[in-house]
CSV table of all heavy atoms in Angstrom, one decimal:
chain,number,residue,atom,x,y,z
D,19,LEU,N,77.8,151.1,46.8
D,19,LEU,CA,78.0,149.8,47.5
D,19,LEU,C,79.2,149.0,47.1
D,19,LEU,O,80.0,148.5,47.9
D,19,LEU,CB,76.7,149.0,47.3
D,19,LEU,CG,76.7,147.6,48.1
D,19,LEU,CD1,76.4,148.0,49.6
D,19,LEU,CD2,75.5,146.8,47.6
D,20,LYS,N,79.4,149.0,45.7
D,20,LYS,CA,80.5,148.3,45.2
D,20,LYS,C,81.8,148.9,45.6
D,20,LYS,O,82.8,148.2,46.0
D,20,LYS,CB,80.5,148.3,43.7
D,20,LYS,CG,81.5,147.4,43.0
D,20,LYS,CD,81.3,147.3,41.5
D,20,LYS,CE,82.4,146.5,40.8
D,20,LYS,NZ,82.1,146.5,39.3
D,21,SER,N,81.9,150.3,45.7
D,21,SER,CA,83.1,151.0,46.1
D,21,SER,C,83.3,150.7,47.6
D,21,SER,O,84.5,150.5,48.1
D,21,SER,CB,82.8,152.5,45.8
D,21,SER,OG,84.0,153.2,46.3
D,22,ASP,N,82.3,150.7,48.4
D,22,ASP,CA,82.4,150.4,49.9
D,22,ASP,C,83.0,149.0,50.1
D,22,ASP,O,83.8,148.8,51.0
D,22,ASP,CB,81.1,150.6,50.6
D,22,ASP,CG,80.6,152.0,50.6
D,22,ASP,OD1,81.5,153.0,50.4
D,22,ASP,OD2,79.5,152.2,50.9
D,23,LEU,N,82.5,148.0,49.4
D,23,LEU,CA,83.0,146.7,49.5
D,23,LEU,C,84.5,146.6,49.1
D,23,LEU,O,85.3,146.0,49.8
D,23,LEU,CB,82.1,145.7,48.6
D,23,LEU,CG,82.6,144.2,48.6
D,23,LEU,CD1,82.6,143.7,50.0
D,23,LEU,CD2,81.7,143.5,47.7
D,24,ARG,N,84.8,147.2,48.0
D,24,ARG,CA,86.2,147.2,47.6
D,24,ARG,C,87.1,147.8,48.7
D,24,ARG,O,88.2,147.3,49.0
D,24,ARG,CB,86.4,148.1,46.3
D,24,ARG,CG,87.8,148.0,45.7
D,24,ARG,CD,87.9,148.9,44.5
D,24,ARG,NE,86.9,148.6,43.5
D,24,ARG,CZ,85.9,149.4,43.1
D,24,ARG,NH1,85.7,150.6,43.8
D,24,ARG,NH2,85.1,149.1,42.2
D,25,GLU,N,86.7,149.0,49.3
D,25,GLU,CA,87.5,149.5,50.3
D,25,GLU,C,87.6,148.6,51.6
D,25,GLU,O,88.7,148.5,52.2
D,25,GLU,CB,86.9,150.9,50.7
D,25,GLU,CG,87.1,152.0,49.7
D,25,GLU,CD,88.5,152.1,49.2
D,25,GLU,OE1,89.4,152.3,50.0
D,25,GLU,OE2,88.7,152.1,48.0
D,26,ARG,N,86.5,148.0,51.9
D,26,ARG,CA,86.5,147.0,53.1
D,26,ARG,C,87.5,145.9,52.8
D,26,ARG,O,88.2,145.4,53.7
D,26,ARG,CB,85.1,146.5,53.3
D,26,ARG,CG,85.0,145.5,54.5
D,26,ARG,CD,85.2,146.2,55.8
D,26,ARG,NE,84.1,147.1,56.1
D,26,ARG,CZ,83.0,146.8,56.7
D,26,ARG,NH1,82.7,145.5,57.1
D,26,ARG,NH2,82.0,147.7,56.9
D,27,LEU,N,87.5,145.4,51.6
D,27,LEU,CA,88.4,144.3,51.2
D,27,LEU,C,89.8,144.8,51.3
D,27,LEU,O,90.7,144.0,51.7
D,27,LEU,CB,88.0,143.7,49.8
D,27,LEU,CG,86.7,143.1,49.7
D,27,LEU,CD1,86.4,142.7,48.2
D,27,LEU,CD2,86.5,141.9,50.6
D,28,PHE,N,90.1,145.9,50.8
D,28,PHE,CA,91.5,146.5,50.8
D,28,PHE,C,92.0,146.5,52.2
D,28,PHE,O,93.2,146.3,52.5
D,28,PHE,CB,91.6,147.8,50.1
D,28,PHE,CG,91.6,147.7,48.6
D,28,PHE,CD1,91.0,148.8,47.8
D,28,PHE,CD2,92.0,146.6,47.9
D,28,PHE,CE1,91.0,148.7,46.4
D,28,PHE,CE2,92.0,146.5,46.5
D,28,PHE,CZ,91.5,147.6,45.8
D,29,GLU,N,91.1,147.0,53.1
D,29,GLU,CA,91.5,147.1,54.5
D,29,GLU,C,91.8,145.8,55.2
D,29,GLU,O,92.7,145.7,56.1
D,29,GLU,CB,90.3,147.8,55.3
D,29,GLU,CG,90.2,149.4,55.0
D,29,GLU,CD,88.9,149.9,55.6
D,29,GLU,OE1,88.2,149.1,56.4
D,29,GLU,OE2,88.6,151.1,55.3
D,30,ALA,N,91.1,144.8,54.7
D,30,ALA,CA,91.3,143.4,55.3
D,30,ALA,C,92.6,142.8,54.8
D,30,ALA,O,93.1,141.9,55.5
D,30,ALA,CB,90.1,142.5,54.9
D,31,VAL,N,93.1,143.2,53.7
D,31,VAL,CA,94.4,142.7,53.1
D,31,VAL,C,95.5,142.8,54.1
D,31,VAL,O,96.4,141.8,54.2
D,31,VAL,CB,94.7,143.3,51.8
D,31,VAL,CG1,96.1,142.9,51.3
D,31,VAL,CG2,93.7,142.9,50.7
D,32,ILE,N,95.5,143.8,54.9
D,32,ILE,CA,96.7,144.0,55.8
D,32,ILE,C,96.7,143.0,56.9
D,32,ILE,O,97.7,142.7,57.5
D,32,ILE,CB,96.6,145.4,56.4
D,32,ILE,CG1,97.9,145.9,57.0
D,32,ILE,CG2,95.5,145.5,57.5
D,32,ILE,CD1,98.9,146.1,56.0
D,33,ASN,N,95.5,142.3,57.1
D,33,ASN,CA,95.6,141.2,58.1
D,33,ASN,C,96.0,139.8,57.6
D,33,ASN,O,96.0,138.9,58.4
D,33,ASN,CB,94.1,141.1,58.6
D,33,ASN,CG,93.6,142.3,59.3
D,33,ASN,OD1,94.3,142.9,60.1
D,33,ASN,ND2,92.4,142.7,59.0
D,34,ILE,N,96.4,139.7,56.3
D,34,ILE,CA,96.9,138.5,55.8
D,34,ILE,C,98.2,138.1,56.6
D,34,ILE,O,99.1,139.0,56.7
D,34,ILE,CB,97.1,138.5,54.3
D,34,ILE,CG1,95.8,138.7,53.6
D,34,ILE,CG2,97.9,137.3,53.8
D,34,ILE,CD1,95.9,138.9,52.1
D,35,ASN,N,98.3,136.9,57.0
D,35,ASN,CA,99.5,136.5,57.7
D,35,ASN,C,100.6,136.1,56.7
D,35,ASN,O,100.5,135.2,56.0
D,35,ASN,CB,99.1,135.2,58.5
D,35,ASN,CG,100.4,134.6,59.3
D,35,ASN,OD1,101.3,135.4,59.4
D,35,ASN,ND2,100.3,133.4,59.7
D,36,THR,N,101.6,137.0,56.7
D,36,THR,CA,102.7,136.8,55.8
D,36,THR,C,103.9,136.1,56.4
D,36,THR,O,105.0,136.1,55.8
D,36,THR,CB,103.1,138.1,55.2
D,36,THR,OG1,103.6,139.0,56.3
D,36,THR,CG2,102.0,138.8,54.4
D,37,ASN,N,103.6,135.5,57.6
D,37,ASN,CA,104.7,134.8,58.3
D,37,ASN,C,104.5,133.3,58.3
D,37,ASN,O,105.1,132.6,59.2
D,37,ASN,CB,104.8,135.4,59.7
D,37,ASN,CG,106.1,135.0,60.4
D,37,ASN,OD1,107.2,135.0,59.7
D,37,ASN,ND2,106.2,134.7,61.6
D,38,ASN,N,103.8,132.8,57.3
D,38,ASN,CA,103.6,131.4,57.3
D,38,ASN,C,104.6,130.6,56.3
D,38,ASN,O,105.3,131.3,55.6
D,38,ASN,CB,102.1,131.0,56.9
D,38,ASN,CG,101.7,131.6,55.5
D,38,ASN,OD1,102.5,131.4,54.6
D,38,ASN,ND2,100.6,132.2,55.5
D,39,ALA,N,104.5,129.4,56.4
D,39,ALA,CA,105.5,128.5,55.6
D,39,ALA,C,105.4,128.7,54.1
D,39,ALA,O,106.3,128.4,53.3
D,39,ALA,CB,105.3,127.1,55.9
D,40,ALA,N,104.3,129.2,53.6
D,40,ALA,CA,104.1,129.5,52.1
D,40,ALA,C,105.0,130.5,51.6
D,40,ALA,O,105.3,130.5,50.4
D,40,ALA,CB,102.6,129.8,51.8
D,41,PHE,N,105.5,131.4,52.5
D,41,PHE,CA,106.3,132.5,52.0
D,41,PHE,C,107.8,132.2,52.3
D,41,PHE,O,108.1,131.6,53.3
D,41,PHE,CB,106.0,133.8,52.7
D,41,PHE,CG,104.6,134.3,52.4
D,41,PHE,CD1,103.6,134.0,53.3
D,41,PHE,CD2,104.3,134.9,51.2
D,41,PHE,CE1,102.2,134.5,52.9
D,41,PHE,CE2,103.0,135.4,50.9
D,41,PHE,CZ,102.0,135.2,51.8
D,42,SER,N,108.7,132.6,51.3
D,42,SER,CA,110.1,132.4,51.6
D,42,SER,C,110.6,133.4,52.6
D,42,SER,O,109.9,134.4,52.9
D,42,SER,CB,110.8,132.7,50.3
D,42,SER,OG,110.8,134.0,49.8
D,43,ASP,N,111.8,133.2,53.1
D,43,ASP,CA,112.3,134.3,54.1
D,43,ASP,C,112.4,135.6,53.5
D,43,ASP,O,112.3,136.7,54.1
D,43,ASP,CB,113.7,133.8,54.7
D,43,ASP,CG,114.7,133.5,53.6
D,43,ASP,OD1,114.4,133.4,52.4
D,43,ASP,OD2,115.9,133.3,54.0
D,44,TYR,N,112.7,135.7,52.1
D,44,TYR,CA,112.8,136.9,51.4
D,44,TYR,C,111.5,137.6,51.4
D,44,TYR,O,111.3,138.8,51.6
D,44,TYR,CB,113.3,136.7,50.0
D,44,TYR,CG,113.5,137.9,49.2
D,44,TYR,CD1,114.6,138.7,49.2
D,44,TYR,CD2,112.5,138.4,48.3
D,44,TYR,CE1,114.8,139.8,48.5
D,44,TYR,CE2,112.6,139.5,47.6
D,44,TYR,CZ,113.8,140.3,47.6
D,44,TYR,OH,114.0,141.4,46.8
D,45,GLN,N,110.4,136.9,51.1
D,45,GLN,CA,109.1,137.4,51.1
D,45,GLN,C,108.6,137.9,52.5
D,45,GLN,O,108.1,139.0,52.6
D,45,GLN,CB,108.1,136.4,50.5
D,45,GLN,CG,108.2,136.1,49.0
D,45,GLN,CD,107.4,134.9,48.6
D,45,GLN,OE1,107.4,133.9,49.2
D,45,GLN,NE2,106.6,135.1,47.5
D,46,LYS,N,108.9,137.1,53.5
D,46,LYS,CA,108.5,137.5,54.8
D,46,LYS,C,109.2,138.8,55.2
D,46,LYS,O,108.6,139.7,55.8
D,46,LYS,CB,108.9,136.4,55.8
D,46,LYS,CG,108.0,135.1,55.6
D,46,LYS,CD,108.6,134.0,56.5
D,46,LYS,CE,107.9,132.7,56.3
D,46,LYS,NZ,108.5,131.5,57.2
């Protein structure tokens, strides 16, 4: 169960919006 949760979380990371104001143009 713990391994399945970890994998589900890793899959969700790709959905993080990296185009917001918190990131520099270099990071984006």
Side-chain angles (χ1 to χ4, degrees):
L19 185 72
K20 186 176 179 181
S21 176
D22 289 345
L23 177 58
R24 186 185 302 112
E25 292 306 310
R26 179 70 67 89
L27 296 175
F28 284 150
E29 290 170 7
V31 168
I32 200 69
N33 296 318
I34 292 176
N35 178 18
T36 56
N37 199 35
N38 60 47
F41 296 100
S42 67
D43 55 349
Y44 182 88
Q45 291 171 309
K46 292 174 186 176

